[in-house]
Every structure is written in C-alpha cells, then in structure tokens.
Amino acid sequence: AGLLLARVERLSAAAQQVLRAAAVAGRHIDDDMVREASRLDEASYEAAVREAVADQLLLAGPDGYTFRHALIREALYADLLPGERTRLHARIAELLADPARLAMPGSAAELAYHCLACHDVTGAFAASIRAGQEAERLAAPAEAHQHYDAALALWERVSDPDALAGEGRGQLSLRSANCAASSGDVPRAVQQLKRTRGFLGEWSDPVLDSRVQERLAYYLLEMEEPAEAEAAAATAVSVLPGDPPSRELARALSTHAQTLMYTGDDIAAGRRAEEAAAAARAAGQAWVEADARVTMGLLAERDGSPERAVELFTAAFGQAKAHAMLGVELRAAFQLTRARLERGDIAAAAEAAHDGVARAASAGLQLAPYGLDLQFMHYLAHFADGCWDHAQELADGFGVRVTTVAEARLSAMALFLGVARGSPAVAERRAWLEPFWPADAFTAYIGHGLLAEHALWRGDYPTVLAEVAATLACYGGEAKGYGPPAIRIAAIGLAARADRARRARAAGDEQAAQAEVDAAELLVDAAREGAAYPARPKFVLGVEGRGWAVRAEAEWGRARGDNSPEAWQAVLDEFSPDFVYEMARSRWRLAEALAEAGQRADAEREWGLAAAAAAELGAAPLQAALGDLGRRARLGPAPGSGSGSGSGSGPAGRAGGDVLAGLTSREREVLRVLAAGRSNREIAAELFIAPKTASVHVSNIMAKLGAASRTEAAAIALQAGLRPAGR
C-alpha cells in the first residue's frame, strides 16, 4: 500500500482529489459522478484525470474509467480520513439519489451501499428495498434476497419502517425467504421463515401466518423433512377460517396434501388434494387447482395408474401455464418429464424438460425447486437417448467447484457422463462433492452410485463395494426397506461380485467363489425388494427400472457361474432402443455370454453393434471393455481402436526385435494372459477356450520362445514390450 500511495503522492493535488473520490465511488468509475463528487470545475477535472491516466493509475473505457488494479483503489480508500470518507460517501449518495440516476439498473444497490457507509440508515433502508424490488424484476433472486436481508437488518433502526417499505416486517421477511429459495438456497429460506414465525407472535395477521407456515412446509419438503413439514402445513390450514374459501386456504390445503403424501398417508393426502382443488375452484384460483392435480397425479402413480398420472400432470401443466403461475408450472413440468422418461418416452421428456428449463431461466429460477430438477431431467433425457454432445454442453454448465447444495446436486448429476466417458474431471468433482454428502442424501446417493460405476470400469472392486454400501445407506438402507433407487446400485455391486466370483472359479478357489456368491445374494435381494417396492405395492416400475432389475438378475446368474445369453437378451428386451448407452453395455455382456456359449456368429453381431454405439457415444470405458472382449474372444477390433491395439502386435509388441515374430496372434494373446501370472485354467476362462487348448498354446509358446518355464516365457514377453493382460 505504501508503494502504491507513493505513486499517488507524486501527482497534483487535483489528481489526488479525483482519485480519492473515485476510490469511494468504486473500481468502475462514472465520469460525471466522480467529477461532481470531486467538486472540481470541468477543466481542472479533465486535466486531473488525464494526469492519473498518464501515470497508469486509471484506465479509460468506453463509459468511464477503472482503476488499473483493485489494490490501488483499496490503498487509496484505506488512506482516507474517517470524516473525509464519510463525506465522500454522502456526496455520492446524494448524486445517486437523483431520479434520473436512480432509474438506471443497479443504482439503488449502489445508493444503499453509500448510504450505509455515510451512516444514513433511513436512506440505506429505503434504497435496499428498492434494490431488492429491482433485482426481482430483473430475475435476480439471489441479489433480491441480499437486499431485502440488508433492509431487515436495519428494520429496528428506522422510524416508521412499514411506511418506507410499503409492507410489514413479516411480509418483507417472507419475500426475502422466497427469493432465497428461488436462488437455490432453500436451507437459508427455511432458517429465515422459522425466524419470521418466531416474531409474528400470537396476534399476527392469520393470512400472513398461514402464508409463512405454508412456505416453510413447502421448503422443508425440499430438505427432506416431511414430518416437520406436515406439522407446519397443518398449522397453515388451521389458522384460517374454512369459509369462505380463499386463495390462501386453497394453497395451504394443497401444500398440506403434499406433506401428507410424503409422510406416507396417501388416503389423507388424496382427501386434502380434493379439498384443495374444490377450495381453489370456489376461490377462482385455477393455479392452486393445478398444484393439487400434480399431487393427485403422484398419488395415482403410487396407486398403480401411471397413465392416469400423466393425464393429471399434463392437465396441471396446461392449467398453470395458462394462468402464468410459474412455480406450479415448473412442478408440473418436472413431474410430467420424469413420468415420460420412466415410461421410455424420451423424446417427449426431453422436449418438456427443455421448455421447462427455458421458462425457469427466463425468471432466474434455474436453481429454485423444480427449476433445478428440470435442468438435470433435460440432461438425463439426452444421456439416455445418446445425444451425448448436447448432454456434455449441459453438463459443462454444472460447475465443478460447487458451494451450495443446489450446485452440488447438478455437479453430481454430471458424473453420469463423466463416468461413462472416462473423464478425468470425475476425481475433481468428487473432491468438491464430498463435503456435501453428510448433509444432502440426494447428492450422496448420486455421487456414491456413479463413483461405484467409475471404480467398476477400472476393476477396483473394493472401492466399488464400499461405494455401493454407502449408496444403499443413503436412504436408510435395509432397516427402512429398499425402493426403486436401490436397483441400479445393487446391479453395479452384483457386477463386481460376479467378476470376483468368476476369477476365483477360474483359479480353482471354490471357497472364495462361494463367498462372493453369498455376498451377491444380499445384493440381488436388495434389487428384488427395490423392484417390488413393498412400501408401495401398487407402484408400476418404469422402463429403466425394469431394465436394471433384469440386469441385476443377469449379474446374479453370472456370479453363480450361469452367464446365460437368455438372461442378457432379457435385459435388451426390457430397455427400449431409445436407451442407447444402456443397450450398448447390455450387448457387451450379451456378446460375452454368447462367446462363452460357443455362439460365435451371434456374439460377433452383438459385439459389433455395441462397439459401433460405444464409438459413436465416445464411451471410452465401454470401448476398452469391448476391445478387451474382442481380443479374448477373437471377435475383432473395436471401431477406431486399431487392429492390434493392446495385443502386442503393434510397436510395443515388436520392441526388442523379432523374438515374438514366430507367435500367432492367438498365441500372443495367451502369452499376454500368462504374463499376468494366470494359470492354464484362468487363461482358458479369460479367452473363452478349453483348459486343454490353453495348455497346448502354452506349450507351443514356450517351445517357440525357447523358454524353460512359464516364468521365463513371461520375462521374455515383458522384455519384448508385450503388455500383460489387465494392465
């Protein structure tokens, strides 16, 4: 600071005066305002500014000036005497209060800052209210919340704040909380509403009391606190008279219906939803009726009527959109998108999600409840349908360095594509997501589950099983019973158990193989329970859920040594062709099962289809797995991988001269597995050949290499640059 100020002190008194005024104004300097604040005549001001620019303290821009570096401004500001600083802030506040300047966006926020800095509490309060209103109009809810919160902090220091604000403290606090939730900070909204509920007291307006309790209940549901939400929603209903029906009563009834549904009382929830719809019609509030219809749709799904649910979601969406109630429109759009995606109608789901995201963005509600959910539904629809380049564009907008729960949820969803494409960003996302896992079950469930898949592709089975256990525990685990979210992660765990059982069996370790089968049985039981959904016996599982349930059964067979092509064909039959990636990785396993069964032509066909899809998607881990299967089962190279990739026939395989030149391509593949320390039985299992055939190949290899032992043959292979299998 001393060095920077030494440069300033070389300037004329007028230039120093301008710089001090500019330091108080901010880093970006309005030319006219700084001139008036410095109280210099126009000629003196121009000369002073020119001097500061020439000395490279200020930079000229199209609409004013900026400090060359923020540190210059900070040093100047800190060097001001307290009285001098206060007077300059007061002068700039006076200038900003001019109606012409105040009409410009952002001026009210600046005015609030300068008023507070010059101890004009009343001016700061009024300007904060105005700045909050302006931010709301500009679809900037986070900024609106900050300004309203600043006004609330000054409430008791202002005379007649109700008149200045144009509303009471309770109404302003409710508005601030709603803005916080709209910006994605639902925990902050809940905290503020609880505080508001505390100061409203016994004699508050019952309508305001109901509104606060209703919003509190709604946001508590977002935080997965259904019991507390139900209590708040019940209070919101009870404080209002039942007759005549009003907008507030209808809304309270609708939210109470939601909370009853999430606490598991579907019958009471249905009755409340009907009451809410009737009250909404009587009060002429069609958008509340739309909200109640969404709840009715969710209840219809639970009752085993998914078609009826889609009808209700569609009607609710149209009704909310027609009456311009965006919050309900987004809720209906999300449920409609989700229902269509679960039914396998991916194109319609993607279209609805796209429209919903655009509507949310236009109002600054991308991180608000349902605005956030529509974002990841849009992304998931394109992850499912194979439009991965578009999905990647969406995922790139889900920041890696997250600071809020809403941001963490989006970042966790981005792992779907990161894992499937083998992106190096997976590790970085994990580092930023991990702190959110204890507080947010959704982020933990998605994060742990996809990291389990990531570890599975890398063959890191201990990590797979640890992540699977953590995922299953996210929603209470076995103690609370499993639902559909358990199916996918159980299938991932089963795949790891099946791989380990297969290797143990090939090595002749039947005890270890049986231990894997016993552990796998617990996972297949979890998948079956999740598919049956005992808590909601009438619930109809969607296309993807059914596909993963059948995949879990196929992996269970593989764990027991029964890798049936029929089981994997059933997985393909369950997924619709629109699920491009899931079809491709199911074909990979089907090709493996067909190769083991000796059905070579069918295996080549399925392998080729899977390889083409994986190449199109850029699914690097799947491509690597298919390349490995192609080499082991002699099905051919994966598209784009090169004919000799990893087989030792390329430059690496020829390193060290022609020592391996006498080997056939199949013998090279056997040598790769032998070099990894595998027995003849394991070589046979790895390459889909009989143990006797493997033994003949090993003998021929040793004879051609002049090796006296398997160890010597492996050493020759390594010296020649042949990469062992599994490395």
Side-chain angles (χ1 to χ4, degrees):
L3 289 170
L4 292 169
L5 289 172
R7 291 180 58 191
V8 174
E9 288 165 1
R10 295 200 303 264
L11 303 180
S12 67
Q16 291 185 45
Q17 189 172 340
V18 167
L19 287 172
R20 286 193 289 270
V24 172
R27 187 176 177 187
H28 298 281
I29 303 155
D30 177 272
D31 190 40
D32 289 339
M33 190 164 62
V34 172
R35 180 178 58 79
E36 293 181 55
S38 63
R39 299 184 186 276
L40 293 172
D41 62 71
E42 191 168 335
S44 300
Y45 173 76
E46 294 290 351
V49 169
R50 187 174 293 278
E51 187 179 355
V53 170
D55 212 52
Q56 297 189 41
L57 293 168
L58 293 181
L59 297 174
D63 55 353
Y65 302 93
T66 59
F67 279 97
R68 185 175 183 84
H69 198 288
L71 288 175
I72 299 172
R73 175 187 172 265
E74 289 174 19
L76 280 162
Y77 188 83
D79 192 53
L80 291 170
L81 296 171
E84 185 181 18
R85 185 183 301 137
T86 300
R87 285 189 293 275
L88 280 169
H89 277 297
R91 175 60 177 156
I92 291 173
E94 179 187 345
L95 294 169
L96 284 169
D98 178 81
R101 278 202 175 99
L102 201 54
M104 297 181 65
S107 294
E110 280 192 77
L111 176 58
Y113 163 71
H114 289 292
C115 284
L116 202 58
C118 70
H119 316 301
D120 179 4
V121 175
T122 301
F125 178 84
S128 293
I129 296 291
R130 179 165 183 155
Q133 293 168 344
E134 180 181 278
E136 277 197 273
R137 286 196 303 273
L138 295 174
E143 288 77 5
H145 166 68
Q146 290 173 0
H147 294 309
Y148 289 142
D149 228 25
L152 286 165
L154 300 173
W155 189 273
E156 294 179 351
R157 298 172 59 188
V158 176
S159 299
D160 200 9
D162 298 67
L164 283 172
E167 58 187 348
R169 184 180 180 186
Q171 286 94 336
L172 181 61
S173 186
L174 174 61
R175 185 186 299 275
S176 179
N178 286 336
C179 288
S182 294
S183 70
D185 195 351
V186 175
R188 173 67 177 160
V190 166
Q191 180 187 39
Q192 189 158 29
L193 288 171
K194 286 182 176 180
R195 199 164 58 242
T196 305
R197 186 175 59 177
F199 68 66
L200 283 179
E202 185 179 352
W203 305 106
S204 66
D205 174 12
V207 171
L208 176 60
D209 194 10
S210 178
R211 288 176 62 200
V212 169
Q213 296 281 10
E214 183 273 332
R215 286 292 86 187
L216 176 59
Y218 190 84
Y219 298 141
L220 282 168
L221 280 181
E222 286 294 310
M223 292 182 63
E224 299 179 8
E225 298 288 349
E228 192 178 352
E230 194 279 325
T235 303
V237 173
S238 67
V239 298
L240 293 174
D243 194 43
S246 63
R247 165 183 173 150
E248 289 74 20
L249 177 62
R251 190 169 190 174
L253 287 167
S254 182
T255 299
H256 192 212
Q258 290 184 56
T259 62
L260 288 167
M261 179 177 62
Y262 284 106
T263 54
D265 193 344
D266 290 0
I267 295 174
R271 284 199 300 264
R272 268 296 194 230
E274 293 289 353
E275 290 176 35
R281 286 191 294 270
Q285 300 294 322
W287 65 270
V288 183
E289 183 182 4
D291 193 49
R293 280 183 169 179
V294 176
T295 302
M296 292 176 192
L298 291 167
L299 291 168
E301 275 189 320
R302 293 186 177 195
D303 200 41
S305 303
E307 297 295 335
R308 174 61 179 157
V310 170
E311 289 176 11
L312 287 163
F313 296 150
T314 304
F317 175 73
Q319 198 170 18
K321 189 171 185 178
H323 290 82
M325 182 49 67
L326 188 55
V328 179
E329 181 186 335
L330 296 181
R331 182 180 179 227
F334 165 71
Q335 297 298 353
L336 182 58
T337 299
R338 178 193 54 76
R340 284 173 171 170
L341 191 57
E342 288 180 0
R343 293 173 62 206
D345 191 356
I346 300 176
E351 183 180 355
H354 177 271
D355 292 344
V357 169
R359 291 278 291 145
S362 69
L365 300 179
Q366 301 97 311
L367 296 179
Y370 300 111
L372 174 79
D373 307 88
L374 279 164
Q375 280 199 74
F376 65 67
M377 273 295 160
H378 186 207
Y379 162 76
L380 283 181
H382 290 306
F383 177 79
D385 68 13
C387 295
W388 278 16
D389 288 342
H390 184 36
Q392 187 66 63
E393 290 176 12
L394 300 175
D396 288 344
F398 303 163
V400 175
R401 300 185 177 191
V402 296
T403 57
T404 67
V405 168
E407 291 172 348
R409 289 184 172 190
L410 287 177
S411 182
M413 297 301 290
L415 288 173
F416 272 98
L417 203 54
V419 168
R421 279 187 156 171
S423 168
V426 169
E428 188 180 2
R429 284 196 187 274
R430 179 190 180 125
W432 284 88
L433 287 172
E434 205 163 352
F436 291 91
W437 289 344
D440 187 52
F442 181 87
T443 301
Y445 169 78
I446 297 295
H448 282 302
L450 290 168
L451 289 167
E453 282 195 42
H454 188 55
L456 183 64
W457 283 124
R458 293 180 288 114
D460 182 359
Y461 300 116
T463 298
V464 176
L465 299 174
E467 296 288 6
V468 166
T471 309
L472 291 174
C474 286
Y475 288 110
E478 190 176 2
K480 292 188 177 180
Y482 293 117
I487 303 171
R488 179 187 181 113
I489 191 59
I492 297 299
L494 280 161
R497 292 291 182 189
D499 283 353
R500 294 190 0 163
R502 174 180 172 275
R503 291 187 179 183
R505 206 172 283 117
D509 190 346
E510 292 300 330
Q511 185 176 355
Q514 187 58 47
E516 294 297 336
V517 171
D518 292 343
E521 188 169 11
L522 298 175
L523 289 169
V524 79
D525 286 346
R528 288 168 179 169
E529 184 178 338
Y533 208 176
R536 299 176 193 169
K538 294 183 180 180
F539 183 83
V540 178
L541 205 58
V543 171
E544 191 171 12
R546 294 196 301 271
W548 277 97
V550 178
R551 181 176 287 167
E553 295 293 343
E555 293 288 7
W556 168 235
R558 202 163 68 88
R560 291 180 289 114
D562 179 20
N563 195 20
S564 162
E566 291 74 21
W568 288 104
Q569 183 61 53
V571 179
L572 277 180
D573 294 342
E574 209 58 69
F575 280 114
S576 74
D578 290 337
F579 287 87
V580 177
Y581 179 57
E582 300 307 343
M583 292 287 285
R585 60 173 163 179
S586 299
R587 289 187 191 280
W588 160 52
R589 285 299 189 195
L590 174 57
E592 180 185 59
L594 288 165
E596 287 181 9
Q599 300 176 41
R600 185 174 182 77
D602 291 339
E604 286 183 342
R605 183 187 67 251
E606 298 298 338
W607 182 89
L609 290 170
E616 179 71 22
L617 294 169
L622 178 57
Q623 283 183 283
L626 284 161
D628 178 64
L629 174 62
R631 287 191 300 272
R632 292 187 293 113
R634 306 182 76 180
L635 299 176
S641 65
S643 60
S645 178
S647 67
S649 59
R654 291 193 297 270
D658 296 327
V659 66
L660 305 181
L663 302 184
T664 66
S665 61
R666 191 53 163 175
E667 286 170 346
R668 285 172 181 270
E669 197 59 44
V670 170
L671 183 56
R672 286 182 71 248
V673 183
L674 183 151
R678 310 279 172 79
S679 67
N680 287 353
R681 185 172 176 178
E682 289 174 300
I683 292 170
E686 187 85 3
L687 301 180
F688 305 94
I689 56 179
K692 185 174 181 181
T693 304
S695 176
V696 171
H697 278 310
V698 170
S699 297
N700 289 340
I701 289 166
M702 291 172 63
K704 289 180 179 182
L705 296 180
S709 66
R710 297 167 68 94
T711 303
E712 187 177 351
I716 292 170
L718 291 171
Q719 288 172 0
L722 187 69
R723 190 174 62 211
R727 294 189 185 178

